[in-house]
Amino acid sequence: MFEDIKPDELYKRKVQQSHTIVDVRSPKEFQESTIPGSINIPVFTDEERSEVGTIYKQVGPEAAKQRGLAIFSKKLPDFIARFQQIDTPVTVFCWRGGMRSKTAATVVDLMGVRNVTRLNGGIRAYRKWAVSLLDEMDFAPELIVLNGGTGNGKTIILERLQKEGYPVINLEQMAGHRGSIFGHIGMEPNNQRAFDFLLLEKMLEYQDEPFVFAEGESKRIGKITIPDKFYQKKERSRQLFIDLPLEKRVAHILEVYQPTKHPERFMEAFSRIKRRIHTPIAREIEQCLESGEYAVAAELLLVHYYDPQYNHSASCPEDQQTHIRAVSVEDAIEKIKLDIQQTKAQG
């Protein structure tokens, strides 16, 4: 007989041993958000789930169960075969720890797939556990927060530091959004549930580190909101302000946003801020976007929109500030590393 486990126990198993977490919800539910690292072996397709749900509402739970059983019985051999390919202990979960995960765990256990457990309360319970920790957890490491106007390479710097083994919490990556009016283009935005799961796992992973890099973000990034406790710590932490030459910033914007791949979406996004820019400049930017002169458009947006917005909002006590003036991303990274070494030596 399979065992029910709680969210904290599932997390321990996940990080302390080889363990496979199986989301048995529909593909659409899985895509919207899941426990990080999970794989999807659905009991029902999206269409089947919709059909069973309609029967539940219009006829009743017993009829829905009967229809669900009829659908699932036809796919049982393939369902079991997919579990048999997994060579680690398995935990299954659904939305509330109800019929789908109970059915999956029961049949997999009966077919002799060893070490099968079920997440008690499903992903809803895991979400409640995650939110509680985010509200209460004292994140021990010092945060080193990278700031600077659009195009100063903050995300690129974070990614390269992470590749070199430095602990990094990439909030924009977790949100699936770059934070600007154009920030959703070319990315898949996450919802709050998915963001919270990813943030919590990084915080737990880095809890024993002396410091962690993060990017200076506003409270809201795209569709998500940074949890209060982490946001307040970020605001109180040491702030590095990156300052690169304007031509480097334009080049970074073109590299990261790749406007040639999404011209219509850039024009649509620009229309949302057009009225906030002096009319002759806005007209010139629009003409550049229409004619594909993206470098000129990016420079005009930096000078006449993003930098004035950023200079107005970027304010923190001077004793929190360190300014990194650099000629390139590579130069900025070396100066950041030197700053860390000097701070460590002084401390």
Side-chain angles (χ1 to χ4, degrees):
M1 183 64 182
F2 67 85
E3 173 192 3
D4 275 0
I5 62 173
K6 294 181 179 180
D8 57 341
E9 177 61 26
L10 174 58
Y11 179 78
K12 289 177 186 176
R13 295 186 184 197
K14 176 182 173 182
V15 299
Q16 293 176 1
Q17 62 189 33
S18 294
H19 200 86
T20 302
I21 306 172
V22 180
D23 186 339
V24 299
R25 298 175 303 153
S26 70
K28 183 179 179 181
E29 291 173 288
F30 176 78
Q31 187 176 14
E32 288 175 348
S33 68
T34 191
I35 296 171
S38 301
I39 64 171
N40 187 213
I41 305 180
V43 169
F44 299 131
T45 65
D46 296 326
E47 295 76 17
E48 290 164 349
R49 173 175 172 259
S50 176
E51 179 187 349
V52 172
T54 300
I55 293 171
Y56 185 95
K57 292 177 182 177
Q58 295 181 354
V59 182
E62 193 59 39
K65 288 179 185 179
Q66 291 297 324
R67 179 56 184 150
L69 180 60
I71 292 171
F72 184 60
S73 62
K74 294 178 182 179
K75 60 176 70 179
L76 189 55
D78 181 62
F79 188 81
I80 295 297
R82 294 184 66 182
F83 275 89
Q84 288 173 332
Q85 294 171 7
I86 300 170
D87 59 1
T88 70
V90 171
T91 297
V92 300
F93 71 90
C94 60
W95 172 238
R96 293 180 295 184
M99 287 301 298
R100 285 184 290 178
S101 60
K102 184 177 182 180
T103 299
T106 299
V107 298
V108 169
D109 182 61
L110 286 172
M111 294 304 296
V113 178
R114 57 192 176 88
N115 296 327
V116 177
T117 53
R118 181 178 70 151
L119 177 61
N120 187 25
I123 195 172
R124 189 168 69 168
Y126 198 88
R127 161 77 167 154
K128 185 176 180 181
W129 170 75
V131 169
S132 176
L133 272 182
L134 288 170
D135 287 343
E136 300 169 4
M137 179 179 170
D138 290 319
F139 189 49
E142 174 194 5
L143 281 180
I144 301 174
V145 185
L146 270 57
N147 297 273
T150 300
N152 270 299
K154 303 181 293 296
T155 298
I156 299 172
I157 292 169
L158 285 178
E159 289 173 349
R160 294 192 186 176
L161 287 171
Q162 190 166 29
K163 284 183 180 179
E164 293 184 29
Y166 288 92
V168 168
I169 291 180
N170 191 330
L171 296 169
E172 289 186 358
Q173 184 183 68
M174 294 173 183
H177 197 287
R178 299 185 188 93
S180 72
I181 196 71
F182 301 97
H184 63 292
I185 299 175
M187 300 187 78
E188 288 294 332
N190 276 331
N191 59 26
Q192 189 70 46
R193 187 185 304 119
F195 177 85
D196 287 346
F197 289 161
L198 293 169
L199 176 59
L200 176 62
E201 294 218 346
K202 280 298 179 185
M203 291 173 65
L204 292 170
E205 179 183 348
Y206 293 147
Q207 181 69 338
D208 295 327
E209 296 285 348
F211 64 86
V212 174
F213 286 105
E215 187 171 346
E217 300 288 349
S218 60
K219 178 75 170 169
R220 190 168 182 84
I221 312 172
K223 296 180 179 180
I224 69 90
T225 301
I226 300 174
D228 285 338
K229 195 156 188 176
F230 185 86
Y231 183 77
Q232 293 304 323
K233 181 179 179 73
K234 180 183 72 68
E235 292 295 285
R236 295 191 302 268
S237 298
R238 190 153 64 96
Q239 311 288 321
L240 305 188
F241 286 85
I242 313 299
D243 186 8
L244 297 183
L246 183 60
E247 63 270 19
K248 291 288 185 182
R249 296 172 62 196
V250 170
H252 290 154
I253 289 172
L254 299 182
E255 176 188 350
V256 171
Y257 287 88
Q258 299 183 335
T260 56
K261 293 184 177 180
H262 312 281
E264 300 85 2
R265 298 187 72 184
F266 271 85
M267 187 62 76
E268 186 274 332
F270 174 69
S271 68
R272 292 158 60 190
I273 61 170
K274 180 179 176 180
R275 61 182 177 80
R276 304 179 200 170
I277 303 172
H278 187 48
T279 301
I281 301 298
R283 188 178 300 117
E284 185 177 358
I285 294 171
E286 189 170 42
Q287 289 170 351
C288 288
L289 290 173
E290 289 173 346
S291 62
E293 297 176 83
Y294 295 113
V296 178
E299 182 171 335
L300 290 170
L301 280 165
L302 287 176
V303 172
H304 297 283
Y305 180 73
Y306 280 110
D307 284 357
Q309 290 271 331
Y310 183 80
N311 292 335
H312 176 72
S313 62
S315 59
C316 66
E318 287 189 12
D319 60 355
Q320 288 180 234
Q321 298 183 25
T322 299
H323 290 268
I324 306 289
R325 291 182 172 84
V327 296
S328 66
V329 160
E330 293 74 19
D331 184 33
I333 290 172
E334 292 307 311
K335 288 180 176 178
I336 290 169
K337 292 178 183 177
L338 180 60
D339 178 78
I340 294 170
Q341 293 170 3
Q342 291 173 343
T343 303
K344 186 177 179 181
Q346 293 169 2

